[in-house]
Structures are given as structure tokens and as C-alpha cells.
Amino acid sequence: MNRCHPAGVKSRETESRHFLRNFPVTAFCRSAPNLALGLTLALGLALALTLTASPALAASGPPPGFVLTDNADLAFTSPDGATRLEQYMKDSEDLFEVKWQVWARRGDQMTELKPEQGYGAGFRFTSDSQWLVRMQKTGSGSQDLFLYHVENGAFVSATKQSLSDLAWAYFHSRADTKKMKLDYHISANLMKGTETAYRWLGVDWPNNRYLLISLSGEMDKHPKNVAVKGLADWKCRYDLKTGQFDVPKMFAKGNAEALNWEIKR
């Protein structure tokens, strides 16, 4: 039988039973199951509100099996010192199964810079530490570029496609380059000078505005007297503000030569 003890009733069990027989108080009592249910619902609601109000917890780092590399050439720090890039490798007897992950550490927070790849990578920041380009080797003589931007205190992918895919799409959209077909050693490279707005080229572009990309690749088919033929260091510019590509006039001559690159036997 469920019991309820109103105020003023003595604690002895015999007197409680006597009181309840003479003064029923069922209208003010809840059964034990209802109390348990009410408590469970209250706790659940409190937990839900706590999770809603709190930001998502950052991942703690790479999964088991990934080891931080001790290669100093694969360690990078943003110009403001707030972000340190750490590269972790998961080894394998099969070379094609070796995996690399890049994690950006900002204070106690760690964020993975996807995608996972089969090689370590190089990185360059803009001088304001808000943009980051990943120079990712993908094979012998081939490389991709990935672009990241700081959002809510963490680096995230800035484009749906890789920056290199966008650059090649621009290359093939132009009337003077769209017919060129490349077969191997296809590489997109970020030119040095990102942190200094490419002042070494003698330009006066705004800081943290542009990225200079060079594209290269080789062809399977070429004349017998030619050892290698393809594209060599064709340059374009990416605007971080508008997300658009163009070719500054200063690169016109060099790009024309890049389209006719070959090495004769």
C-alpha cells in the first residue's frame, strides 16, 4: 500500500497507520511509479536543455593507430600563433594502405582537416591567419590543393570541391586552353608568397586577398623526337573574396609558353 506522511504526523510506523485510517489523504499523494516517471522526465528535459545550450564538443584527436609524425617539415603554425597543424600517420605493410590525417590544434580544441590522404602535406597561411591552403601530394608528380577558412574559431573546408579541381575547371573553361588533354603528373601548385601578398613579384595587391596557382601535367601522345610534352607552370589567380579565377596580364606571355612546353630527345 502506498503511504503518504502529511506534516505534523509522528514518524513511528504504528501511529502513521492509525492516522491514515482516520484521515485519508489520498488526494494529496502520488504513487511511486508516477513519482519515478516524473523524475525521469524532469532529468531528461534538463539534460536536453543542457545539450542544446552547450556547443558541440570538439573531437579529442585522431583515432587509435595514428601516430604524430616527428618530421619537423610537416609541422606548421599560423602567423598569429593560435593554430598548430599536426600530422598523424597510420602505417601499413601495404604502401597503398598508409593513411595520413591532419589536425588543427587551437588551445584545447582539435579539428580534423579533411580529407584523409595517403601522404603528408605542406601548408601555407594568409598573413591574417584566416585562410589556409593544403598542398597535398597524391602520387608521383601529382598534387591537389585544398582551401580552409576559419569559422567559429576552427578551420573548415572553404569550398565544396578541392581548390585544385576548381582551378582545373577554370583552365578547361577558357577558349585558349580547353582543348588541352593531360594524362599524368597532373599537379596544382600554390606559388610562394601567400603570407606577403606576393610582393616579391612587384605587385601591390591587397593583403589576404589572392592566391596564385600554377598548373602542370604531361601527355601520353607526342612526336617520337619529343621525350616529354605537356603543360608547364600555367598560372592563374584565385580571389578569396569573390571565389573567382582570372589571369593577370603579367602572366600572359609565360602562360603561352607553358602551353607549348616540351623536351626533345
Side-chain angles (χ1 to χ4, degrees), residues 147-246:
L147 181 63
Y148 307 92
H149 184 248
V150 173
E151 292 184 13
N152 298 321
F155 276 104
V156 298
S157 295
T159 56
K160 292 182 178 180
Q161 293 178 277
S162 68
L163 183 60
S164 49
D165 282 348
L166 294 176
W168 282 112
Y170 172 70
F171 176 83
H172 291 296
S173 72
R174 294 171 53 90
D176 59 334
T177 57
K178 65 181 181 181
K179 293 182 179 180
M180 175 168 279
K181 183 180 182 300
L182 302 171
D183 301 296
Y184 61 99
H185 290 169
I186 297 174
S187 180
N189 304 279
L190 181 67
M191 294 178 61
K192 67 177 182 178
T194 306
E195 300 88 343
T196 59
Y198 302 98
R199 297 287 188 267
W200 70 273
L201 289 173
V203 298
D204 189 23
W205 297 337
N207 291 329
N208 313 305
R209 176 69 183 269
Y210 297 109
L211 301 174
L212 288 182
I213 299 170
S214 68
L215 304 177
S216 301
E218 298 176 20
M219 302 175 179
D220 281 331
K221 295 182 179 180
H222 47 74
K224 291 183 179 180
N225 67 331
V226 174
V228 181
K229 183 176 177 63
L231 180 71
D233 200 23
W234 187 91
K235 299 178 180 66
C236 60
R237 182 175 67 172
Y238 181 75
D239 190 331
L240 290 169
K241 184 176 181 179
T242 66
Q244 301 297 315
F245 287 89
D246 71 344

Side-chain angles (χ1 to χ4, degrees), residues 52-71:
T52 301
S54 303
L57 295 177
S60 58
F66 282 84
V67 179
L68 178 64
T69 178
D70 58 1
N71 186 342

